[in-house]
Amino acid sequence: MQQQDIVARATAWLAEDPDSETREELGKIIDAGDPSTLAELFSGTLQFGTAGLRGELGPGPMRMNRAVVIRAAAGLAAYLKGRGDGDGLVVIGYDARYKSADFARDTAAVMTGAGLRAAVLPRPLPTPVLAFAVRHLGAVAGVEVTASHNPPRDNGYKVYLGGGSQIVPPADGEIAAEIAAVGALADVPRPDSGWETLGDEVLTAYLERTDAALTAGSPRTARVVHTALHGVGTETFTAAFARAGFPEPVPVAEQAEPDPAFPTVAFPNPEEPGAMDLAFATARRVQPDLIIANDPDADRCAVAVPDDSADGGWRMLRGDEVGALLAAHLVHKGATGTFAESIVSSSLLGRIAAAAGVGYEETLTGFKWIARVEGLRYGYEEALGYCVDPDGVRDKDGITAALLVAELASELKAKDRTLTDLLDDLAVTHGLHATDQLSVRVKDLSLISDAMRRLREHPPVRLAGLNVVSAEDLTRGAAGLPPTDGLRYRLEGEYRARVIVRPSGTEPKIKCYLEIVVPVADATALTTARATAAGTIAAMKRDLAAAAGI
């Protein structure tokens, strides 16, 4: 696009921008004659996909702002009307990030102006409450304004359709086409009223439903330190634990209240280095049984356990470890149906399911796929997402998952055992399934496409001294899965080593998921097995980084 075209586009955008803050910001950029910034903001549009929209706040079509959200809402409304849902209910939730309340209000106004019924949750609440509300209220769609665990300057727009599952193709493309067809913002009706602001009855119904995850009469003794990481989880988490009869969780005081600046963490994600430091400090003071962390919109659940060998005395469990623990607990409780996980998650779930005689299915990455598995009873993915009550919330839910973890910890505690003991049992029974991730955040997105191209053109032939025996390009589909941008390698030998490489769908990252399975004869062999696994995975990381140029 020529510079004069970019300036003309920016000037036209400025004229119809409904937000005084972004108007002022864009006006200064235009007046400064900053061509590189204008090109960054106006050389394309933020793409609407299966994650909806997500991006940095700011003016222009390449940023999250009120103009972009209004167009997205108008496109969604047109899509719903086109499929015969023009008088249906759309439920709207939002987190406590910058502009979230504004984006929720704009969405409600657009839906109302289009003739749909709109209902907004009463205040910033966890994303699983919105996913629950879509099913509970029989809505034709739901919108959650959130950027989950992204950096403070990001926000996002997640869409659910009737049934409470996130959108998948072809719905995302059809909605994107309707968004592209939206004309001038002045032609999008946006009344000042006409939608409903829901009361606490939806939250109450959600909390009542959380009991469904637990077994009547089960032990409820686990003592928990909880951090919301400056997000919206504290109130709902505390209320759910109180209803269930657990000891009152001890909050990490510095992170308990919503704060869009996320002042105590570099990234508000429990997986990021340093994010859990305050939780560890609180735990060392009060000596709980567990630490549980939610991400800012509380749809993810992270768990840490006491470990004398770890720095500071606490160890974060990997998402795959928590996924296996919850699966084992559900099997013990007599769960039936299908257990599902994404292809980047540990193969241990399949072995637990097979041993228990329950169904098992692999999906593409994301709960938008897991939630659609027929007969789903339990689903998880390694990025700390767990669906333990699909009839209530057809998505990942960090609150109900936390309750189930606490119930399991309580049952083990009654037998003088721990979550770590159960993980050891699973390793002896099924082999030590060791997983890790090589994740690289970039500022220049072309680095991700360059790495993927390099791996496609020159796939690795050996990793960690093991021959690569198969290399699959997942853009062609694999094992009945839809095509996706990813690569999968399988390595020779008894360790059944596997690597998957893919671009993140929600962050500027390239992600590499590694797994090896080390046979374990008995509990005395666990230490050696862990050392073998750690050394092999470290070598796999090193060799893969070199092959990808990252």
Side-chain angles (χ1 to χ4, degrees), residues 243-268:
R243 280 188 57 85
F246 287 100
E248 182 177 358
V250 177
V252 177
E254 302 93 332
Q255 299 173 332
E257 296 301 317
D259 187 334
F262 303 106
T264 68
V265 294
F267 292 98

Side-chain angles (χ1 to χ4, degrees), residues 367-537:
F367 264 85
K368 57 185 176 283
W369 299 108
I370 293 171
R372 284 175 162 73
V373 168
E374 186 174 350
L376 180 67
R377 175 58 186 88
Y378 168 63
Y380 99 91
E381 62 180 2
E382 55 77 40
L384 310 180
Y386 314 95
C387 175
V388 301
D389 178 26
D391 290 339
V393 176
R394 203 81 176 175
D395 198 7
K396 56 186 175 291
D397 182 348
I399 306 296
T400 50
L403 288 171
L404 206 58
V405 169
E407 180 186 60
L408 172 57
S410 298
E411 290 188 0
L412 292 168
K413 184 179 178 181
K415 302 172 184 176
D416 199 27
R417 303 187 76 232
T418 66
L419 297 180
T420 305
D421 293 331
L422 181 53
L423 285 172
D424 289 349
D425 292 348
L426 292 172
V428 171
T429 301
H430 302 289
L432 177 68
H433 288 63
T435 60
D436 204 351
Q437 187 181 129
L438 172 63
S439 179
V440 179
R441 183 183 295 271
V442 301
K443 290 186 177 180
D444 181 357
L445 293 178
S446 68
L447 297 176
I448 296 176
S449 56
D450 288 347
M452 296 298 292
R453 183 178 65 253
R454 185 179 295 109
L455 289 170
R456 285 190 168 100
E457 293 175 353
H458 305 287
V461 295
R462 286 175 67 82
L463 295 171
L466 301 171
N467 290 329
V468 176
V469 295
S470 71
E472 297 172 275
D473 189 339
L474 300 180
T475 58
R476 300 170 185 151
L481 297 173
T484 188
D485 187 6
L487 300 163
R488 178 163 58 185
Y489 307 108
R490 298 189 190 279
L491 281 58
E492 68 177 348
E494 65 174 346
Y495 293 160
R496 299 193 292 260
R498 176 268 286 160
V499 176
I500 295 176
V501 184
R502 59 180 283 271
S504 171
T506 57
E507 297 180 89
K509 287 182 175 181
I510 186 169
K511 291 186 171 183
C512 311
Y513 306 84
L514 305 92
E515 180 181 42
I516 70 167
V517 184
V518 182
V520 180
D522 54 44
T524 63
L526 279 169
T527 299
T528 301
R530 289 194 179 98
T532 299
T536 306
I537 282 188

Side-chain angles (χ1 to χ4, degrees), residues 33-376:
D34 183 346
S36 61
T37 300
L38 285 175
E40 186 179 342
L41 299 177
F42 286 92
S43 59
T45 58
L46 205 58
Q47 293 300 301
F48 186 94
T50 52
L53 294 168
R54 193 174 291 187
E56 186 178 347
L57 292 167
M62 290 294 291
R63 295 289 184 265
M64 285 296 297
N65 51 65
R66 289 184 61 201
V68 164
V69 165
I70 290 167
R71 291 181 183 279
L76 175 59
Y79 168 80
L80 294 172
K81 293 173 75 172
R83 56 181 258 171
D85 290 327
D87 60 350
L89 172 67
V90 178
V91 187
I92 302 151
Y94 59 104
D95 66 12
R97 285 178 176 266
Y98 296 118
K99 297 291 183 179
S100 286
D102 294 337
F103 294 167
R105 186 184 186 282
D106 282 331
T107 301
V110 171
M111 295 300 163
T112 302
L116 290 115
R117 293 177 292 125
V120 183
L121 294 184
R123 57 186 174 281
L125 287 169
T127 291
V129 177
L130 181 278
F132 168 83
V134 174
R135 291 174 68 84
H136 179 67
L137 298 175
V140 298
V143 171
E144 177 69 18
V145 180
T146 181
S148 189
H149 55 276
N150 276 40
R153 286 297 303 170
D154 286 7
N155 213 328
Y157 198 81
K158 183 184 293 188
V159 175
Y160 297 78
L161 293 180
S165 297
Q166 297 176 48
I167 55 171
V168 296
D172 59 337
E174 293 166 356
I175 295 170
E178 294 287 2
I179 294 170
V182 175
L185 287 191
D187 296 333
V188 178
R190 286 184 289 132
D192 293 329
S193 61
W195 58 89
E196 179 185 4
T197 299
L198 297 169
D200 279 349
E201 63 277 0
V202 170
L203 177 59
T204 299
Y206 167 81
L207 289 169
E208 290 173 348
R209 178 73 202 188
T210 59
D211 294 346
L214 305 177
T215 299
S218 63
R220 312 281 170 90
T221 59
R223 297 173 57 249
V224 170
V225 159
H226 174 252
T227 176
L229 289 182
H230 301 293
V232 298
T234 297
E235 175 193 7
T236 307
F237 185 98
T238 303
F241 269 64
R243 280 188 57 85
F246 287 100
E248 182 177 358
V250 177
V252 177
E254 302 93 332
Q255 299 173 332
E257 296 301 317
D259 187 334
F262 303 106
T264 68
V265 294
F267 292 98
N269 180 350
E271 297 176 295
E272 293 283 352
M276 296 294 292
D277 287 353
L278 288 172
F280 293 152
T282 303
R284 285 191 289 271
R285 188 175 69 252
V286 303
Q287 296 296 304
D289 298 303
L290 296 171
I291 299 171
I292 295 179
N294 292 127
D295 65 338
D297 69 329
D299 63 352
R300 287 175 170 83
C301 172
V303 179
V305 295
D307 185 339
D308 291 338
S309 67
D311 289 342
W314 284 84
R315 177 172 74 90
M316 290 293 295
L317 297 183
R318 295 193 176 278
D320 284 319
E321 291 178 308
V322 177
L325 288 168
L326 289 175
H329 186 42
L330 288 168
V331 165
H332 177 68
K333 288 155 67 81
T336 59
T338 299
F339 286 12
E341 64 179 340
S342 60
I343 59 172
V344 300
S345 303
S346 172
S347 58
L348 177 55
L349 182 68
R351 292 181 173 84
I352 292 171
V358 300
Y360 169 75
E361 189 167 329
E362 272 190 331
T363 75
L364 293 183
T365 305
F367 264 85
K368 57 185 176 283
W369 299 108
I370 293 171
R372 284 175 162 73
V373 168
E374 186 174 350
L376 180 67

